[in-house]
Structure formats: C-alpha cells, structure tokens
C-alpha cells in the first residue's frame, strides 16, 4: 500500500482549501519529494521545532491517527528525515504520544545515527513513564547500539523489567555491529539459560559472530539449532551460514545450504560468488555468474570488483571486457573501486592503452591509488621510463606518493636512481616502513651495495618475513654465505618463522662453494620440520644445492620426490649429472623432458652439451646444439659457444674449435679463449696456444691464468727459454699467480692447506701420515710420474714437490681426524695445478692413482666427481672431489 493511496483513504475534501492542501500533499508523497526543502539534522530544540512546523502544517487533517500513521509510513520506506519532522509536529501539537510512536521515532533516530535526538527521545520516554514498555525498551537498546553507545544500550537492557526475543536480538545484533563478537556469544548463552527461544535474526547475528571468532565448530552446532527451530528456510539466516562456511573454505557445506534454499535474494547469489572467488574456485565463480545473469540477478558493485580482480589474476582479457560492458550498462563506471580494478586487470593482460584510457578519463579525480596502479602496470610490462615519467608527473600534480608507490617505483632501476628516491623516502618518513625499506634494500643489493642494504634493514621497524628474506637473498647474491647464514640464525632467535622463500634463499647460499657442506643439510632438516621442503621453490633450490655440492644422489632423491617440477629442477639435475660425468643419465633426463613436451631454455642445453663434453660425445653434443638453434629457435649465447669450443678442444679437434670461434656472431670473450688455451696446454699445441694466450691477455691483461697456462705449454714442450720469458713478463707487470688452496670440512670447521704448508697445528702428524701412506703405496708398486711437474729441476725434487701437494695434505688430515668410512670432501680454488700423478696417461686428476692405493690400504670408498665447470674455467672456479 503506497503512501499516496493511504493519504487519500485518510483525508476527505470537505473544503476547497483542504482539498488543495491534500493535492499538494499527495503529489509530494507519491513522487517521494521531501515535504520540506530545508530539513536539517533532527533536534528537539525550540528553534528546530519552529523550522519544522510548516511541514507538519501541510497535512490536510490533523489528528492523532493521521499523524501517527504518516509517521509509521515514512519510517517504513526509510524516509527518516521526513518521519522525524512529522514526530516533531506531533510533539509540538500536544497530540498523545504512546509507546508505538516513541518506538518508531527511536528507530528513526538509530537509522539517522543521531545520538542527540535519541537521548532526548529517551528523556521523553522517562517523562511519559514508558520505560517499562518492552517495545520502547527494545527500541532504546537498538538506538544506542546503532549510534555506537554500547554501554548505554546495555544499561537500558539490564534495567528492562520485561525482555522478549526481540530485545535479546537487538542486543546481540548491536554487539555484532560493534565488533563485540564474544559479547554476542555470552549473551546468546544467557538468553538460552533464561529460556528465550532464538528467532531467525538471533541466529543470523550469532552465526556471524562465530565466523568472526573462528569458531566454525560452534557454528555447525548453531546450524543444527537453526534446522531444529525450522528457520533453515529463512534467507538471511542461510546467507549468514553460507558466509561462515565460505570464510573457512567449507565449500561443500556452503553449497549444500545454497542448493537447499527455496528462495534466494541478491545477497545470497553475490555472497556465494564472492566466496568462490576468495577460495580460488575460478571456474565455479564464472559458472555461478552465468546462472545469476540467467536468473536476472544484478551483480553488486563489490562483486564486480571481486570478479575483475579474478580476471586480473588469471589474465582473462575477454571476461574483463565483458564485465566492463556490464559495468557501463549498470552505470557503475564512476565507482572508483571498479575503475581501479579494471585498470589493474588491463595492466595484467598487457593492455596498457586500455588502462591508460580509463586513467585519463578520470583525470579530475586521479589519486595516489590510480597513479600507483598505472606505475606498477608500466613496470610489469617493461616500460620503466614511462613509469618514471608518470611518477614525476604525479609529484608535479601535488599527488603525494604513499608507501606502496615508493616500494613500486624503486623497482624501476636503472631508469631512476635509488639514491634519489632514497632522499624522497627519507623526507616522506617512509624509510622505516617495512614495504619501502624492503624495496630500498633490494635496490641497493642489485647495485652490489650490501652494506647500505644492511643499514636500511637494521632501521626497518617491525620487520616482516619479506624484509628478512630479502636481506638473506641479498647476502646470497653477493656470495656472502656467512652473512646469509648468520641472519637466518638471528631470525630464528627473534622468533620469526621462515617461509618457503626464506628457505629458498638460504639454501641457495649453501650451494655456494665457500659454504660448509653440513650447513645445507641442516637447513634442509629445518625445511622438513617447517613443512616447506616439498614446496616448489624450496625443493628446486635443494636439487640445485646438492647437485652443485657434488651430492648427486641426494639431488636425485629430492628431484624424484617433487610433486611439481619447474625448469630450475630439470636443469639442475641435468647439470648435476654432467658435473659428475654421468652423461647418459643427463641425456636420459633431457629425453624425458622432450617426451613430456616441457619448456627448455639455454641453460638446459648448456648442461646437455657439458655432459657430452665430459665423456667425449662430440657428435651427440653437436646434434643437441643444432637442435637448440634450428628446432627450438633458441639463440646461442657466449656460454653455448664456449661449451662447443670445449667439446671440440677436449676431443683434440683444435682446428675445428678455432673455426667455430672465427664464425661466432660476436667476438669471443675471455672464457672462450681460456677454454682454447687450456686445451692447447693439454694437447701441447704451441702455435694455437700462443694465439689464444695473446687474445686472452688483450682481454684480461691482469689475469694470471693466460701467463701461467702459456708458461706451462712452453715447459711441457721443453722450451724453457720461452717459459722464462713469460715468467719475467709476469714479474714486470706485477702479476701474481693465485696460490692453490685445498680445504676440508671436519666437525663443522673448515681447514685450508697450501702446497708444502706447515702452518696447521697438526702439521707434524699430517706429514707423518703422508710419509706412512707414501711408503705403503711405494711398496705396492707406485711410481711418481714427475713429467707433469713443469719446472727445470731433477726428478727427486719433483717427487718431493708432488708429495707436499695441498690436496694430499687435506686428505691426510681428514684420515687423521675422521672415523673410518667417513666421506671426505676436498674443495679446491684452482685446477691449473691438477696434473696426473701415478701411472702415466691413465688419469686426468692429479693424485687419483695415489688415492686408489690409499683406498686399498685404508678401506676408503673412492668416488671421482668431475667438475661441472669447463676446462676454460679451471683456473678461476672451484671444483669438488669426493673421497668417501
């Protein structure tokens, strides 16, 4: 029944003046025009009453029944200001004011959130002696709760002589509205004790409070009470249950409630769709949206935002454009949240022109959020310069960047200097903010300035796990293993729980040559304990670490247990097998990748070609190189050409290697020429060795490798005069040969040795052990091969030099300090001094045959591991040899 028909039923046209008033009155009510064009916030003060009188006077026939009926109708259609005006007229005219009138105006006061009016009406209730009226008391509770005066509402409730289910429900709903969920539950228990049966509104409030308090088990019990009370068909109760179940991922339960509803409203549909999106059920969300459209249900603005965010997450451009059309049709395009969500979606879908069009259309309402979205979009799409231009433009337009803006634009290096941004960050007082501080330290790490990054890390307030992980990653990137491990330990002491990215960073640090072998295993144990070991980034890092540290068995075990594998895992296993000389296994893994049609990159083929190199599979290596270039269209890099040069040169095909160098699409770098020079040393090719050395020296004049290798070529061919010239040239240019170290980890302590080293505290025992082993192997037929000692001295001195090799000292120390059967890991910083010793021509590793004799004499288990580095890198990269 509308207000105009109600008025016509109530009023009679006895006089022409009254008929005219009635016509005006009906027109205003029917068209929902306010009866007064100057209604301010309601008040019972005298001056306010004077302002309102003319509105009340427009009612054609004034009496108690008419005015109250009009008051109730205005309240029913939520025209609360007009309702309040009518009440002020009733009050000033001296009409009878009963409990129903006061209850109605208290409801109006609550809807207007006008605390002052509510208190004055409360005083009127006292004056009229209606506080004991249960309806009035309930309305007072509701009014105070809606105006955020919980204490006053509770006082009124406690003073009520009579309370019914509506009174209790008003209290519960009020507590819920003000976030006092525990009070909701306490009052619900008390209500049950007093024998008051809940109504549907009560259940809706209680279910909402239980959801907020993460008490879903209790929520299930209340659901049972709902069914028992027969309220399971009530829409708003079902909506509360659906919301609770979706909030905790209980999708089948939510869907069961949804499917069993006889009637659904727009809130039901929107709640279900939003829940699907929150729980990442993308397909179900889109399917439900289609059902909503078929059922004629309109999407709310908040649901539009959620759906657009979903499109952004999965980069679904078509759906985003369809939603954009619906938004225009529903005239929601001016909603700032929807516009921002659309901009994000277009940037994620690489449609920067569409995003900018939306941005430009709202030029007059641009704010820091919209500007930051565009800056982030440009950065994500590789347009760093445009992002910096927009950042500077927003500064010129007096739009102040926030912490998210700074943390975003800091990723624009080198298009913008971190030093300049750092100055702005300090002025804006964001340096200590976790997001900005983390972005700053990451920018400095990329510049190699770890000291400044560390300083920023120290001043960040309330460091989150992202800041800790970023700093650990920074130490790892600059090979500061000790810094990364120490920070990881400090994080644990401070009670910060690492996440999968933290573990990934610290495990990558443990993969570095200078890290202790046991550290990686300990971090692996921590990852298992924290239940992160099976996450993709952690398991991939573990495969890489074990492969690089020479433990291919553990690497393979982790690889086999991976539920999901990324390209890093596959590449690490292939490279690991190549490093250990297991070419067939490396190729087998590669073929498995091909069968599964998995993505491959240049690193994949670097590992495969390296595997072929270590076992002399020249044709196989050439075939894979051609496959990479011709079949997969991967452009070969310097690394690939270096691998091919190594492949040919190790096989003695030096001329073919030189031909490849001459046909490369870019000038060969130092790595390629070092590879060639190392091969010339092995194959005693003086002519090509001189060419390679000349090229290498021109590229790296201060690197000792070229001089040492050329000198060794001359010495190996008996050209001592040329050798001495090279050594003299080194002295003239003040070039020092890097000393060769060998080190071994025993009981979590690393011990290093130089050739002929006597600085170790156990030197006497070490040399006694060496003498003992040498005597025993000589008795077994060992004869030192002195031809690889490239010095012009007699054989006796050459044999003495060999006996004091740094690697032998490390092994002797390991035999002394470890129990029988322990695996010994010897790490070296150079390989240029690694020449065969023992049976001539049988081994490429110096001392290997000596160690075979040691194995026989000590019952050691010997396992030879080839370096994953190419020969060209032997003078600058460490290698690992395992004897266990």
């Amino acid at each position: 029944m509308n207000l105009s028909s109600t008025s016509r039923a109530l009023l009679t046209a006895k006089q022409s003046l009254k008929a005219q008033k009635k016509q005006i009155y009906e027109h205003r009510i029917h068209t929902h025009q306010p009866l007064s064009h100057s209604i301010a916030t309601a008040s019972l003060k005298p001056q306010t009453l004077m302002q309102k009188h003319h509105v009340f006077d427009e009612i054609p026939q004034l009496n108690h029944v008419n005015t109250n009926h009009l008051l109730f109708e205005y309240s029913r259609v939520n025209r609360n200001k007009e309702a309040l005006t009518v009440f002020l007229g009733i009050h000033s005219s001296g009409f009878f004011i009963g409990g129903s009138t006061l209850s109605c105006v208290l409801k109006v006061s609550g809807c207007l959130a006008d605390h002052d009016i509510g208190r004055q009406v409360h005083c009127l209730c006292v004056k009229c002696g209606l506080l004991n009226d249960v309806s009035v008391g309930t309305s007072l509770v509701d009014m105070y709760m809606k105006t955020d005066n919980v204490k006053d509402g509770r006082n009124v409730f406690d003073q009520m002589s009579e309370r019914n289910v509506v009174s209790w429900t008003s209290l519960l709903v009020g507590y819920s509205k003000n976030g006092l969920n525990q009070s909701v539950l306490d009052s619900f228990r008390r209500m049950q004790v007093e024998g008051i049966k809940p109504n549907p509104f009560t259940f809706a409030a209680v279910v909402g409070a239980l959801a907020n308090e993460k008490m879903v088990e209790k929520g299930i019990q209340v659901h049972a009470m709902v069914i028992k009370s027969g309220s399971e068909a009530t829409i708003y109760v079902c909506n509360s249950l659906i919301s609770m179940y979706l909030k905790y991922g209980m999708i089948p339960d939510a869907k069961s409630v949804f499917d069993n509803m006889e009637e659904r409203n727009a809130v039901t549909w929107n709640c279900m769709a939003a829940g699907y999106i929150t729980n990442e059920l993308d397909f179900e969300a889109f399917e439900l949206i289609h059902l909503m459209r078929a059922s004629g249900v309109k999407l709310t603005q908040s649901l539009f935002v959620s759906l657009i965010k979903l499109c952004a997450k999965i980069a679904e451009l078509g759906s985003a454009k369809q939603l954009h059309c619906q938004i225009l049709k529903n005239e929601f395009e001016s909603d700032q949240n929807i516009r921002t969500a659309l901009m994000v979606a277009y940037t994620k879908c690489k449609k920067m022109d569409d995003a900018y069009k939306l941005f430009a259309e709202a030029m007059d309402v641009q704010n820091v959020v919209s500007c930051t979205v565009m800056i982030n979009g440009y950065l994500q799409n590789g347009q760093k310069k445009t992002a910096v231009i927009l950042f500077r433009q927003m500064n010129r337009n007096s739009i102040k960047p926030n912490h998210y803006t700074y943390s975003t634009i800091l990723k624009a290096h080198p298009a913008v200097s971190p030093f300049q941004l750092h100055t702005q960050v300090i002025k804006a007082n964001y340096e200590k903010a976790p997001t900005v501080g983390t972005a700053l330290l990451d920018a400095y790490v990329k510049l190699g300035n770890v000291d400044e990054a560390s300083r920023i890390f120290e001043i960040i307030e309330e460091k989150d796990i992202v800041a800790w992980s970023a700093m650990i990653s920074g130490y790892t990137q600059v090979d500061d293993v000790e810094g990364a491990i120490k920070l990881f330990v400090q994080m644990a002491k401070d009670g910060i729980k690492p996440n999968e990215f933290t573990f990934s960073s610290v495990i990558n640090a443990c993969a570095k040559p200078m890290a202790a072998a046991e550290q990686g295993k300990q971090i692996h144990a921590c990852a298992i304990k924290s239940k992160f070991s099976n996450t993709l980034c952690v398991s991939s890092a573990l495969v890489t670490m074990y492969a690089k540290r020479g433990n291919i068995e553990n690497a393979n075990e982790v690889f086999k247990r991976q539920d999901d594998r990324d390209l890093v895992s596959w590449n690490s296993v292939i490279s690991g097998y190549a490093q250990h000389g297991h070419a067939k296994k490396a190729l087998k893994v590669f073929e498995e990748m091909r069968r599964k049609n998995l993505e491959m990159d240049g690193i994949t083929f670097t590992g495969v070609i390296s595997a072929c190199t270590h076992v002399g599979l020249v044709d196989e290596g050439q075939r894979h190189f051609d496959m990479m270039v011709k079949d997969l269209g991967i452009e070969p890099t310097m690394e690939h050409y270096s691998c091919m040069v190594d492949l040919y040169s190790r096989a003695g095909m030096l001329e073919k290697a030189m031909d490849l160098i001459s046909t490369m699409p870019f000038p060969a770098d130092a790595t390629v020429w070092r590879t060639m020079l190392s091969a010339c040393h092995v194959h005693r090719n003086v002519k090509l060795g001189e060419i390679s050395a000349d090229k290498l020296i021109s590229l790296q004049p201060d690197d000792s490798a070229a001089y040492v290798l050329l000198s060794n070529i001359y010495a190996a061919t008996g050209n001592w005069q040329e050798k001495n010239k090279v050594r003299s040239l080194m002295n003239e240019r003040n070039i020092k040969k890097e000393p060769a170290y060998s080190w071994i980890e025993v009981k979590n302590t690393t011990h290093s040795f130089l050739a002929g080293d006597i600085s170790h505290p156990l030197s006497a025992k070490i040399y006694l052990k060496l003498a003992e082993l040498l005597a025993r192997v000589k008795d077994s037929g060992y004869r030192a091969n002195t031809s690889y000692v490239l010095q012009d001295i007699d054989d006796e001195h050459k044999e003495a030099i060999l006996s004091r090799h740094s690697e032998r000292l490390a092994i002797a120390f390991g035999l002394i300090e470890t129990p029988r059967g322990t695996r010994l890991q010897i790490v070296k910083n150079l390989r240029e001094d690694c020449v065969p010793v023992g049976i001539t021509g049988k081994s490429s590793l110096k001392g290997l045959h000596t160690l075979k004799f040691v194995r026989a004499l000590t019952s050691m288990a010997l396992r030879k591991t080839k370096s994953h580095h190419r020969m060209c890198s032997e003078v600058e990269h460490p290698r690992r040899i395992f004897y266990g």
Side-chain angles (χ1 to χ4, degrees):
M1 190 176 189
N2 59 37
L3 293 180
S4 58
S5 61
T6 302
S7 301
R8 285 193 297 271
L10 292 172
L11 302 175
T12 59
K14 292 183 178 180
Q15 299 176 359
S16 60
L17 180 61
K18 286 187 177 181
Q20 185 179 3
K21 286 184 177 181
K22 173 175 174 291
Q23 190 175 17
I24 296 171
Y25 166 70
E26 287 180 344
H27 172 71
R28 286 177 174 174
I29 294 294
H30 181 72
T31 58
H32 290 280
Q33 293 178 2
L35 294 177
S36 170
H37 298 292
S38 59
I39 296 179
T41 303
S43 172
L44 290 178
K45 295 176 182 178
Q47 61 267 32
T48 306
L49 289 175
M50 292 296 293
Q51 295 170 1
K52 308 292 184 181
H53 277 172
H54 71 283
V55 176
F56 185 77
D57 290 341
E58 289 182 358
I59 301 175
Q61 190 174 27
L62 295 175
N63 59 46
H64 168 69
V65 176
N66 289 353
T67 53
N68 272 281
H69 190 86
L70 186 60
L71 170 67
F72 299 149
E73 285 297 321
Y74 271 135
S75 174
R76 184 179 66 82
V77 296
N78 290 321
R79 296 179 66 184
N80 296 303
K81 289 184 178 181
E82 287 90 338
L84 193 54
T85 301
V86 172
F87 173 73
L88 294 173
I90 293 172
H91 180 266
S92 61
S93 299
F95 289 143
F96 172 75
I97 299 177
S100 59
T101 306
L102 290 173
S103 296
C104 182
V105 76
L106 284 169
K107 175 194 170 187
V108 167
S109 301
C111 292
L112 291 172
D114 195 319
H115 175 257
D116 293 333
I117 282 288
R119 280 195 176 279
Q120 292 181 58
V121 175
H122 188 172
C123 293
L124 190 58
C125 294
V126 175
K127 185 178 179 181
C128 296
L130 293 172
L131 281 183
N132 290 327
D133 186 305
V134 65
S135 174
V136 172
T138 300
S139 298
L140 276 169
V141 172
D142 181 63
M143 181 272 296
Y144 279 123
M145 290 296 185
K146 285 180 178 176
T147 55
D148 299 331
N149 290 281
V150 177
K151 185 177 179 181
D152 291 336
R154 181 62 197 238
N155 287 338
V156 171
F157 180 84
D158 290 339
Q159 292 169 13
M160 290 175 67
S161 58
E162 180 186 355
R163 296 187 287 258
N164 58 19
V165 65
V166 180
S167 309
W168 282 96
T169 301
S170 294
L171 181 70
L172 267 62
V173 171
Y175 279 144
S176 179
K177 176 183 177 295
N178 288 277
L180 302 172
N181 299 306
Q182 193 57 51
S183 296
V184 174
L185 303 180
D186 292 341
S187 298
F188 182 63
R189 295 189 193 97
R190 182 180 164 194
M191 172 183 175
Q192 290 177 292
V193 169
E194 294 189 11
I196 305 296
K197 291 184 178 180
N199 66 15
F201 291 102
T202 317
F203 284 126
V206 173
V207 170
L210 289 169
N212 292 332
E213 289 295 306
K214 300 180 181 179
M215 300 172 67
V216 68
E217 294 84 2
K218 294 286 185 183
I220 296 171
Q221 294 177 15
V222 173
H223 189 176
M225 294 175 63
V226 168
I227 296 171
K228 188 176 180 180
S229 68
S231 300
E232 70 273 16
T234 309
I235 293 177
Y236 45 84
V237 176
C238 291
N239 290 346
S240 294
L241 288 168
I242 289 170
S243 177
M244 177 187 72
Y245 286 131
L246 289 171
K247 189 173 184 177
Y248 295 99
M250 301 172 68
I251 310 301
D253 299 273
K255 194 170 187 307
S256 175
V257 175
F258 180 83
D259 291 340
N260 290 323
M261 292 177 69
E262 296 178 1
E263 185 181 352
R264 307 180 185 100
N265 61 13
V267 175
T268 314
W269 288 93
N270 282 275
C271 179
M272 197 69 195
Y276 278 145
I277 295 170
T278 303
N279 288 278
E280 299 185 350
L281 297 171
D282 305 342
F283 176 79
E284 289 82 352
F286 280 117
E287 191 177 47
L288 189 66
I289 295 302
H290 288 304
L291 286 174
M292 288 176 67
R293 293 176 64 185
S295 302
V297 180
K298 288 187 176 182
L299 277 65
T300 62
Q301 288 163 281
S302 61
L303 184 57
F304 269 120
V305 172
S306 298
L307 284 169
I308 297 166
K309 287 180 179 179
L310 173 59
C311 293
K313 186 182 76 171
I314 62 177
E316 177 52 53
L317 179 62
S319 298
K321 284 186 173 293
Q322 289 179 19
L323 288 169
H324 194 171
C325 292
Q326 291 185 49
I327 288 164
L328 294 172
K329 186 177 180 180
N330 287 279
E331 299 181 350
F332 288 155
E333 67 274 12
S334 60
D335 186 286
Q336 190 63 37
N337 291 330
I338 290 178
R339 181 181 294 275
T340 302
L342 277 170
M343 287 164 56
V344 172
Y346 285 135
T347 61
K348 294 283 187 181
C349 296
K350 305 185 184 301
K351 293 294 180 181
M352 290 306 301
D353 290 342
D354 292 330
Y356 183 76
K357 184 178 179 182
L358 282 169
F359 178 73
E361 286 173 355
M363 195 69 72
D364 55 332
V365 292
Q366 282 177 5
N367 56 26
V368 65
V369 176
S370 58
C371 290
T372 304
V373 165
M374 288 302 298
I375 290 170
N376 192 43
Y378 282 126
L379 289 174
Q380 288 175 353
N381 288 277
Q383 301 181 45
K384 291 184 178 181
K385 290 183 179 179
T386 310
V388 174
I389 290 170
L390 182 56
F391 175 74
R392 290 170 179 162
Q393 183 65 44
M394 70 180 284
N395 278 311
R396 284 194 292 269
N397 293 341
S398 300
I399 300 175
K400 290 185 178 180
N402 60 17
H403 64 96
Y404 187 69
T405 314
Y406 282 118
S407 62
T408 301
I409 195 63
L410 278 163
K411 301 172 187 174
H413 175 76
V416 65
S417 169
F419 299 100
Q420 294 176 354
L421 290 174
H422 194 170
T423 303
Q424 293 186 40
V425 166
I426 293 172
K427 289 180 180 178
N429 198 29
Y430 281 130
E431 190 181 26
K432 298 179 181 179
T435 53
V436 180
T438 302
L440 262 177
L441 75 86
D442 184 61
Y444 280 119
V445 165
K446 289 176 180 175
L447 291 174
N449 193 344
V450 180
D451 292 337
E452 184 64 21
S454 179
R455 187 195 69 79
I456 292 169
F457 176 77
E458 292 300 327
I459 65 175
I460 294 175
E461 295 177 347
E462 298 179 4
K463 302 178 184 68
D464 57 14
I465 187 60
V466 178
W468 286 93
S469 299
M471 194 66 240
I472 291 172
S473 178
Y475 283 128
T476 301
Q477 289 177 44
V478 296
D479 294 339
D480 187 352
V481 176
E482 184 179 358
I485 299 294
K486 280 185 177 179
L487 193 61
F488 182 79
V489 173
Q490 184 61 48
M491 184 180 74
K493 289 180 180 178
D494 290 354
I496 307 296
K497 292 184 178 181
N499 62 18
E500 61 266 39
F501 303 108
T502 319
F503 279 115
S504 177
S505 296
V506 76
I507 289 168
N508 287 333
C510 293
K512 304 291 182 181
M514 60 288 299
E518 283 302 312
Q519 286 177 332
K521 293 180 181 178
Q522 290 171 9
I523 300 297
H524 188 178
C526 290
I528 293 172
K529 188 176 180 181
S530 301
K531 298 182 179 179
F532 284 122
S533 61
N534 291 327
T535 59
L536 182 57
C537 62
V538 175
S539 58
S540 295
L542 285 168
V543 172
T544 303
M545 180 195 73
Y546 282 124
K548 285 187 175 181
R549 297 312 303 263
N551 197 336
I552 191 62
E553 291 88 356
N554 281 2
N556 191 41
E557 282 299 316
V558 176
F559 180 75
K560 288 193 297 185
R561 292 175 186 172
Q562 283 186 297
D563 296 326
D564 188 20
R565 296 168 183 158
D566 60 4
L567 188 56
V568 175
S569 300
W570 290 94
N571 288 346
S572 294
V573 168
I574 290 173
S575 298
Y577 279 134
Q579 170 189 342
H580 290 74
H582 301 312
K584 291 183 179 179
K585 290 183 178 180
L587 294 174
K588 184 179 179 181
V589 174
F590 176 79
E591 290 303 322
E592 185 180 352
M593 290 184 72
R594 290 189 66 194
R595 284 196 305 273
K596 293 182 177 181
N597 292 321
L598 299 177
E599 177 192 3
M600 298 177 184
D601 63 4
I603 298 174
T604 313
F605 284 94
T606 298
V608 171
I609 298 170
S610 295
C612 296
T613 298
H614 286 310
V615 292
L617 298 175
V618 178
D619 294 339
E620 192 73 8
Q622 179 68 61
R623 185 175 69 83
H624 283 93
F625 181 82
D626 293 339
M627 180 193 304
M628 177 186 76
V629 177
K630 296 176 182 178
D631 297 345
L632 299 180
I634 299 174
E635 288 292 328
T637 63
M638 189 71 73
E639 182 84 2
H640 296 117
Y641 282 110
S642 185
C643 285
M644 291 303 295
V645 170
D646 194 16
L647 177 71
Y648 293 141
S649 59
R650 283 191 184 222
M653 304 166 67
L654 299 181
E655 294 294 340
K656 190 168 185 177
M658 287 297 288
D659 290 341
L660 179 63
I661 292 173
S662 64
T663 58
M664 285 169 54
F666 33 71
D669 67 358
T671 302
V672 174
W673 288 115
R674 192 179 293 110
T675 300
M676 195 67 201
L677 184 56
S678 297
C680 293
H681 172 223
V682 172
H683 295 287
R684 308 292 192 264
N685 192 315
V686 178
K687 180 181 177 182
L688 294 181
E690 289 175 338
I691 296 172
S692 302
D694 183 59
K695 294 288 187 180
L696 183 56
I697 290 171
S698 67
L699 291 170
Q700 294 182 345
D702 296 328
D703 187 5
S704 65
Y707 301 92
V708 172
L709 286 169
L710 182 59
S711 171
N712 288 345
I713 291 173
Y714 287 136
T717 56
N719 193 342
W720 300 107
Q721 185 178 0
E722 291 298 325
K723 181 212 170 196
N724 292 334
K725 285 183 181 179
V726 175
R727 293 291 179 174
S728 298
L729 185 61
M730 289 180 67
N731 292 333
E732 289 174 12
R733 297 180 178 180
N734 197 28
I735 295 170
K736 303 294 183 183
K737 177 182 179 295
E738 183 182 354
Y741 283 93
S742 294
W743 61 89
I744 182 172
E745 181 187 345
V746 176
K747 299 176 183 176
N748 293 326
T749 303
T750 302
H751 303 263
S752 60
F753 298 90
L754 282 166
D757 198 348
I758 58 172
S759 62
H760 197 278
L762 297 179
S763 287
K765 289 184 177 181
I766 290 170
Y767 280 102
L768 282 174
K769 188 67 174 179
L770 273 180
E772 174 197 337
L773 293 173
L774 186 58
R776 294 172 70 180
V777 296
K778 280 185 175 181
D779 290 343
S780 300
Y782 166 74
R783 179 174 59 85
N785 183 354
T786 60
S787 63
Y788 285 88
V789 179
L790 302 177
Q791 297 182 31
D792 191 12
I793 56 177
D794 57 51
D795 286 350
E796 184 178 350
H797 284 89
K798 289 182 179 181
E799 187 173 341
I801 290 173
L802 291 174
S803 67
R804 298 193 299 270
H805 191 275
S806 63
E807 189 177 72
R808 293 189 181 191
L809 297 175
I811 292 170
F813 173 75
L815 292 173
I816 293 170
E817 290 294 298
T818 59
R820 189 181 185 88
T822 302
R823 171 183 293 177
L824 302 183
Q825 180 184 18
I826 312 301
V827 184
K828 296 181 64 63
N829 65 327
L830 301 177
R831 286 192 63 195
E832 63 187 56
D833 60 334
C834 295
V835 295
V837 177
I839 302 172
T840 305
K842 294 291 185 180
S843 172
S844 63
L845 289 177
K846 173 182 162 310
L848 179 58
H849 286 274
T850 305
L851 291 164
K852 286 183 177 178
F853 283 114
V854 172
R855 173 192 178 190
L857 295 170
T858 62
S859 299
M860 292 172 61
L862 172 63
R863 180 162 60 86
K864 167 185 164 186
T865 302
K866 293 186 178 181
S867 172
H868 70 288
H869 300 290
R870 301 178 311 280
M871 287 181 66
C872 63
S873 303
E874 290 173 355
V875 294
E876 63 176 4
H877 292 297
R879 73 175 171 90
R880 296 168 205 79
I881 306 174
F882 290 82
Y883 306 95

